[in-house]
Amino acid sequence: MSHEIEIRVAVPGDAKEILAIYAPYVEKTAITFEYDVPGLEEFTSRIERTLKKYPYIVAEQDGEILGYAYTGAFVGRAAYDWAAETTIYLKENKRKSGLGRKLYTALEKISRAQNITNLNACIGYPETDDEYLTKNSAQFHQHIGYRMAGEFHQCGYKFGRWYNMVWMEKVLGVHPDVPAPMIPFPELSADTLKALGISIRD
């Protein structure tokens, strides 16, 4: 085996393995404000819904999915078409390994190809680090070029505690007077994705 990390487009059949990555974040952390681990059918439908317009990608090594990332609608009104919200989760033992940067770099390349100019991240943010949530995610985003855009105070309640939430943003390119239309992810060709270093499962 080559042991190389492959970034590829997720397929619905990946849902079980991806859900196994996500579940501990629901059960043991306030990184996600979701209370209950979604069922496999619901999680599969989330992947399918995302892929109708946005990328959903995984990092895979020797057939094992180590992490995943995707973008989605920012607010959802037509005027926001050139902005997207980012999400990323890694296997617990793969954090701080450089994998997050690989996934986000791939998302940025795809977003540029879609004519998206702004990426926005919604991040749980504790006033003081605790066993459920630290400022590590915000620090990671800052390290890869995101900047703080705003903070909402004590708006998330989990594990009997109140948490803040911050929005961070990264501008990918210029904002022309008349932007080219946002290109839905399924309309990007296989050749375009290959040129971006993104694999497609046959």
Side-chain angles (χ1 to χ4, degrees):
M1 293 185 179
S2 67
H3 303 295
E4 291 184 4
I5 294 175
E6 176 188 14
I7 304 296
R8 67 166 175 83
V9 179
V11 296
D14 294 322
K16 184 176 181 180
E17 197 170 354
I18 296 172
L19 181 56
I21 294 172
Y22 179 60
Y25 289 94
V26 178
E27 296 168 332
K28 301 190 296 185
T29 82
I31 290 172
T32 171
F33 284 171
E34 191 160 18
Y35 278 15
D36 301 311
V37 177
L40 181 59
E41 184 176 351
E42 161 61 21
F43 201 76
T44 302
S45 70
R46 293 182 187 184
I47 295 172
E48 293 171 334
R49 286 196 300 269
T50 296
L51 285 168
K52 288 180 180 179
K53 189 173 181 179
Y54 295 96
Y56 201 123
I57 58 176
V58 299
E60 188 173 63
Q61 185 179 46
D62 299 334
E64 177 188 5
I65 295 175
L66 306 179
Y68 66 99
Y70 58 91
T71 58
F74 177 67
V75 180
R77 298 287 189 262
Y80 293 105
D81 261 0
W82 296 269
E85 182 178 348
T86 62
T87 299
I88 185 168
Y89 288 97
L90 308 178
K91 278 196 168 183
E92 293 175 286
N93 64 345
K94 295 299 178 181
R95 296 168 70 181
K96 299 184 179 180
S97 65
L99 192 61
R101 179 182 286 274
K102 286 182 181 292
L103 283 164
Y104 258 32
T105 297
L107 273 188
E108 289 175 17
K109 290 179 180 178
I110 295 169
S111 296
R112 288 189 179 95
Q114 292 181 275
N115 296 324
I116 288 171
T117 58
N118 292 47
L119 292 179
N120 305 286
C122 180
I123 302 168
Y125 196 77
E127 292 187 355
T128 304
D129 288 4
D130 62 27
E131 67 269 36
Y132 302 116
L133 185 65
T134 70
K135 295 183 174 69
N136 283 347
S137 182
Q139 291 163 349
F140 161 72
H141 282 81
Q142 184 178 25
H143 186 65
I144 61 171
Y146 282 70
R147 63 186 181 189
M148 196 72 72
E151 183 171 0
F152 296 84
H153 298 91
Q154 296 185 321
C155 59
Y157 182 80
K158 191 172 182 181
F159 301 126
R161 305 179 187 188
W162 288 103
Y163 292 102
N164 297 355
M165 180 270 285
V166 297
W167 277 103
M168 298 185 73
E169 64 181 1
K170 184 171 185 178
V171 177
L172 299 181
V174 299
H175 293 80
D177 291 339
V178 181
M182 184 272 196
I183 301 173
F185 181 68
E187 295 182 18
L188 296 180
S189 70
D191 286 342
T192 295
L193 292 177
K194 183 178 180 180
L196 299 177
I198 313 297
S199 302
I200 301 174
R201 173 165 285 179
D202 296 330

